[in-house]
């Protein structure tokens, strides 16, 4: 194991066992593909061209989609190639001119999102929401432990980390009110999630088995599924969340390739009843990823991804069991990550128990998001070199509603 | 008003007051844009190039998206130009070599679908489904008359008319069963709908007013939202339909431009209670479009689009009221079109009342779709020349499940 020669990278959260992919631009130039190492971005295209890589054209694209479509083998060999470049001192003269300080580049939405599916895979989150939205019924609906519940979200409003979020307007009706009123959401919330990005699609009429997850998924992004709880609560029967979610979903600039998570796989908490055969966990496992929810500079929650009930591979198998095809760029989100403890909850709805049990952040009592609030989600996982790696963080600031 | 000189077009359902857009190919050639006139397809690109139209490049594309993105003014002036070409005998020598018999071309998916949203705008359909899915409760949920209920579907599985539909597998659980089982859907259904295709997008954080509908919508397609009722009934709480719908949605090859429907606008049946101001119907109106549902060669239903409760313009205003952006290629479907009478119902679920009241088609008693069934949806509307125009028909045949 040779150390990375890039200044400050070895032993950092962005060492050569991380190497996330993103899309950057320099002033006056078109966006293209980069790889993060330490606090620098490697401009891959000129290096790949100099080394006459077959796939060098994919690095000139304004999204990762062409790269992702190359498939698992290409992704793995590029990772080996990059690791060589960044650990072999003799490559330094070739590579160093193409390392750009993060502060000098603009980062963009890394993926052209095809379809966006959002699951609901945390037992604690689903139970908490059930208790609040349906107080007179069993918190967990009868289907929840038999299949990973999910729905389609709006792909066109997936935005990159750093994009301001305009407080949405819409119809809201409290249970105590006779009729709905129009106005800005009063219960604006976050959902701390992880997103899985599809690289290799699948044909209409075929299925992706649990065991074939890594043949289709390229990597992982941080994801904040902004939610207007008052709009959602009024609209969501019987066809599910719509405008309460569709105004914005933020994802990280960086896509962590699946191989960087090789040391992060862990056992699932356990599934009872045993799922039907097509969902049998088999080799499907959980991910030991630590999440931090920061509100106005203070960490208010640390949801553990390892507590998720359904594995990512089960989600992908479920969403294709009816023959639905996958496309390069499909984004599959986990749903809110919440652990069993109060300080492990991944939404303000749960942290403040629907506004009834305010919590404290940065010295102030809080329930839902206020204008000017900034939320940042951070994710780390065990790396393959013994330390930890950082996944792409995702941040956003609430700006006032229109009108 | 000069007659169309194309053989058989004048007075037909595809006269110059129709002129739907589509994408076709000839053997060994790339797909490109065509316009239907009579039983012929006009290969637009060479004619537009010969006449040096500014927008001639958009006709070389394999989808209508570039053409649709040109906006309302270009769409209208192209319509005027085409009408001139096809009614002025002196243009015949220029145009005639580029008229291709329908039987000699292959038709393709006309639109690269961005996001797909499906509404639920028929009062009779929503009431019928409510009675069957929630027999112990009010059929119409409290929000239904206050907002057009809708949800996001899967854009990646929108397929062109004529594509076979593989019977989907998944989890089903009848109310009388203790636990779900895996297998092929036993309650496979259609939904006869109309789809509206967005040409001109809108910015994130902005809204599309009811009055601005025609500035954004390019045209209309026939749409069959295939549905597996058993899968849907088990999965749909609380996040809405997912795998019960995501296996296939068929749309017509032809997109009827909005201008062809100028004579089809009609009053809405009436809305009570009055909707909130952002949904105030104003100039928003219904569409007098006649629909025919044909099962195995027999018309089993004639749903009237004029019976729809919510107008298309209200649907578009609602889905953007939270600031969600529109993109070229967004597909917005009406939801199942059902009238008040039994022979006006737009799904087999309603025609056979959940399997309890079988109906007859082609001499046989029927409930849900059987393998080998072919369903064809046909649509006509008043044209601007006094006769009728045909919108794009949509057809599909059920093939057996995998395994």
């Amino acid at each position: 194991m040779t150390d990375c020669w890039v200044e400050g990278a070895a032993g950092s959260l962005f060492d050569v066992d991380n190497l996330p992919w993103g899309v950057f631009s320099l002033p006056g130039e078109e966006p293209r593909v980069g790889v993060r190492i330490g606090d620098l971005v490697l401009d891959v295209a000129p290096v790949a061209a100099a080394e006459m890589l077959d796939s060098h054209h994919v690095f000139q694209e304004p999204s990762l989609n062409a790269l992702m479509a190359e498939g698992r083998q290409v992704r793995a060999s590029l990772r080996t190639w990059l690791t060589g470049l960044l650990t072999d001192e003799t490559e330094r003269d070739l590579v160093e001119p193409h390392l750009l300080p993060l502060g000098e580049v603009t980062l963009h939405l890394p993926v052209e999102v095809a379809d966006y599916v959002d699951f609901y895979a945390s037992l604690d989150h689903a139970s908490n929401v059930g208790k609040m939205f349906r107080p007179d019924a069993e918190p967990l609906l009868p289907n929840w432990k038999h299949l990973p519940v999910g729905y389609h979200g709006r792909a066109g409003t997936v935005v990159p980390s750093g994009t301001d979020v305009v407080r949405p307007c819409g119809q809201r009706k409290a249970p105590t009110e006779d009729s709905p009123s129009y106005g800005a959401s009063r219960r604006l919330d976050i959902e701390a999630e992880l997103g899985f990005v599809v690289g290799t699609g699948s044909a209409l009429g075929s299925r992706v088995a649990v065991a074939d997850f890594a043949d289709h998924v390229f990597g992982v992004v941080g994801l904040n599924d902004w939610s207007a709880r008052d709009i959602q609560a009024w609209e969501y029967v019987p066809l599910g969340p719509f405008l309460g979610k569709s105004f914005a979903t933020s994802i990280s600039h960086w896509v962590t390739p699946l191989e960087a998570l090789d040391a992060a796989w862990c056992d699932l908490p356990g599934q009872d009843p045993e799922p039907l055969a097509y969902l049998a966990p088999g080799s499907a496992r959980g991910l030991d990823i630590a999440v931090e929810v920061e509100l106005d500079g203070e960490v208010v929650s640390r949801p553990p991804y390892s507590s998720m009930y359904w594995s990512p591979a089960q989600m992908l198998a479920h969403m294709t069991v009816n023959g639905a095809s996958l496309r390069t760029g499909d984004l599959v989100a986990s749903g809110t990550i919440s652990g069993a403890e109060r300080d492990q909850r991944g939404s303000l709805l749960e942290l403040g128990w629907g506004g009834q049990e305010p919590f404290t952040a940065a010295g102030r009592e809080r329930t839902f998001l206020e204008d000017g609030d900034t939320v940042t989600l951070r994710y780390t996982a065990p790396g393959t070199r013994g330390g930890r790696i950082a996944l792409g963080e995702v941040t956003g600031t609430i700006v006032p509603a229109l009108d």
Side-chain angles (χ1 to χ4, degrees), chain A residues 8 23 32 47 51 84 90 106 162 180 198 201 215 238 257 263 265 286 295 317 331 344 349 360 364 378:
Chain A
V23 171
R32 57 185 187 268
V47 184
E51 299 234 319
T90 67
T106 301
V198 170
D215 290 336
W265 296 101
L295 172 58
L331 174 63
Q344 295 181 325
L349 177 73
T360 303
R364 285 192 304 127
R378 295 195 178 83

Side-chain angles (χ1 to χ4, degrees), chain A residues 66 79 87 120 157 159 166 204 234 263 392 397:
Chain A
R79 188 167 177 83
T87 53
Y120 195 49
T157 52
V159 297
V166 180
L204 188 66
W234 170 234
T397 298

Side-chain angles (χ1 to χ4, degrees), chain A residues 89-171:
Chain A
E89 274 281 354
T90 67
E91 303 280 10
R92 191 164 184 151
D93 288 351
L94 167 69
V95 174
E96 205 155 34
H98 305 292
L99 288 172
L100 310 165
L102 262 178
E104 291 179 13
V105 305
T106 301
L107 296 169
H108 302 273
L109 188 70
V111 172
E112 192 182 327
V113 180
D115 271 299
Y116 165 42
V117 166
D118 193 21
F119 279 96
Y120 195 49
S122 159
L123 180 67
D124 292 300
H125 173 68
S127 303
N128 288 337
V129 171
K131 285 175 198 163
M132 284 182 274
F133 272 47
R134 296 174 295 276
D136 304 325
E138 274 295 304
L140 225 48
L141 289 163
N143 57 13
W144 200 90
K145 287 192 168 184
H146 291 280
L147 53 82
V149 170
Y151 69 103
H152 285 91
R154 190 160 186 80
T157 52
V158 174
V159 297
S161 177
T163 305
D164 284 345
V165 173
V166 180
R167 181 180 296 273
C169 291
Q171 290 196 28

Side-chain angles (χ1 to χ4, degrees), chain A residues 37-386:
Chain A
I37 180 75
D39 288 331
L40 302 164
V41 178
L42 174 62
D43 183 2
V44 186
V47 184
E51 299 234 319
M52 293 184 288
L53 251 58
D54 285 345
S55 53
H56 70 91
H57 58 280
V58 303
F59 305 113
Q60 299 283 6
E61 297 289 322
S63 81
L64 299 180
N65 290 45
L67 165 63
M68 299 195 304
E70 295 275 317
R72 185 178 182 179
Q73 290 311 113
V74 170
R75 182 173 86 227
S77 53
L78 285 171
R79 188 167 177 83
T80 305
W81 172 70
L82 286 167
T83 305
L85 290 179
L86 297 167
T87 53
D88 184 347
E89 274 281 354
T90 67
E91 303 280 10
R92 191 164 184 151
D93 288 351
L94 167 69
V95 174
E96 205 155 34
H98 305 292
L99 288 172
L100 310 165
L102 262 178
E104 291 179 13
V105 305
T106 301
L107 296 169
H108 302 273
L109 188 70
V111 172
E112 192 182 327
V113 180
D115 271 299
Y116 165 42
V117 166
D118 193 21
F119 279 96
Y120 195 49
S122 159
L123 180 67
D124 292 300
H125 173 68
S127 303
N128 288 337
V129 171
K131 285 175 198 163
M132 284 182 274
F133 272 47
R134 296 174 295 276
D136 304 325
E138 274 295 304
L140 225 48
L141 289 163
N143 57 13
W144 200 90
K145 287 192 168 184
H146 291 280
L147 53 82
V149 170
Y151 69 103
H152 285 91
R154 190 160 186 80
T157 52
V158 174
V159 297
S161 177
T163 305
D164 284 345
V165 173
V166 180
R167 181 180 296 273
C169 291
Q171 290 196 28
R172 317 141 310 175
K173 191 186 91 59
T176 53
E177 293 168 334
D178 284 340
S179 59
S181 61
Y182 172 83
S185 172
R186 302 182 193 107
R187 292 163 76 92
L188 187 56
D189 198 0
I190 61 157
E191 293 199 329
E193 307 195 13
L194 207 59
F196 300 87
V197 184
V198 170
T200 301
S202 65
L204 188 66
S206 72
R207 297 171 193 144
V208 175
V210 164
D212 295 338
F213 178 76
D215 290 336
H216 292 276
V217 169
F218 175 87
V220 179
V221 290
L223 188 146
N224 187 344
D225 182 34
W226 306 94
S227 299
R229 301 299 181 189
D230 40 4
I231 295 172
Q232 182 186 351
W234 170 234
E235 74 176 356
Y236 90 106
V237 284
L239 301 185
F242 184 35
L243 295 175
K245 303 276 194 170
S246 67
F247 56 95
T249 304
S250 299
I251 64 171
S252 59
H253 291 124
W254 298 107
V255 183
T256 306
L258 212 55
E259 289 71 20
L261 295 173
D262 277 352
W265 296 101
C266 63
D267 289 338
L268 291 171
Q271 297 180 335
D272 182 22
E274 197 179 318
L276 287 165
Y278 78 93
L279 288 174
S283 60
R285 302 183 68 197
L287 281 166
D288 178 21
I289 294 172
V291 186
E292 279 184 5
V293 179
E294 185 185 282
L295 172 58
D296 287 340
E298 180 171 332
V299 174
V300 294
S301 175
R302 291 188 165 82
Y305 195 87
S306 58
S307 68
M308 299 296 268
Y309 189 89
W310 294 103
S311 76
Q314 289 175 312
M315 297 183 220
L316 204 69
H318 182 62
M319 65 180 270
T320 59
V321 72
N322 68 348
S325 48
L326 298 175
R327 291 182 291 170
T328 300
D330 278 351
L331 174 63
V332 182
S334 62
T336 308
I337 309 159
S338 287
E341 306 302 321
R342 182 171 180 182
D343 63 0
Q344 295 181 325
R345 296 174 184 165
S347 70
L348 305 194
L349 177 73
E350 295 164 270
L351 282 166
W353 208 253
Q356 293 171 39
E357 298 173 13
F359 62 99
T360 303
R364 285 192 304 127
E365 202 167 75
R366 307 299 303 269
T367 54
F368 291 99
L369 291 171
E370 297 169 13
D371 290 347
D373 278 350
T374 295
V375 176
T376 303
L377 308 178
R378 295 195 178 83
Y379 307 79
T380 64
T384 54
R385 294 196 154 213

